Amino acid sequence: MKIALLQLNPTIGDLAGNKGLIARAIRRAPDFDLAVTSELALLGYPPCDLLLNEEFVERSWQALDELAEELDDLPPVLVGLAGPDTSAGRALFSTLLP
């Protein structure tokens, strides 16, 4: 299995820009079976207070859906963003989603 590790420099809070950065990096990656981004790559790291804004978190999930549609012709990509965490008493946690 060939894994493409995408080392990116996302901008905090720039969902559209980071989505484009991820898409371009994936399109440039050589033949791979799975691509993996860094922690919170779609949001930019560290997102800090942006995670307190429910609209921003919702928009990040919309950006993930758009990215998935744009890259549906490629192998799976794990994208780092914040996901809901109902078990630990916190609202969100860092996650990788296909």
Side-chain angles (χ1 to χ4, degrees):
M1 173 182 255
K2 295 179 185 177
I3 299 174
L5 300 176
L6 306 177
Q7 185 175 355
L8 307 171
N9 188 18
T11 301
I12 297 169
D14 184 5
L15 296 172
N18 295 340
K19 182 177 72 168
L21 183 70
I22 293 167
R24 286 188 301 277
I26 291 168
R27 295 267 182 217
R28 287 192 313 259
D31 184 40
F32 64 92
D33 300 307
L34 173 70
V36 181
T37 68
S38 61
E39 178 181 19
L40 300 171
L42 191 56
L43 306 177
Y45 190 85
C48 298
D49 290 350
L50 288 172
L51 295 178
L52 300 175
N53 182 323
E54 288 182 32
E55 182 182 334
F56 176 76
V57 174
E58 288 174 18
R59 287 188 299 128
S60 72
W61 284 81
Q62 291 169 352
L64 178 68
D65 289 341
E66 293 167 5
L67 183 63
E69 286 180 26
E70 184 179 337
L71 303 175
D72 70 348
D73 61 321
L74 296 174
V77 180
L78 297 178
V79 178
L81 80 156
D85 182 4
T86 57
S87 65
R90 290 185 263 168
L92 299 168
F93 71 104
S94 180
T95 186
L96 285 170
L97 295 170

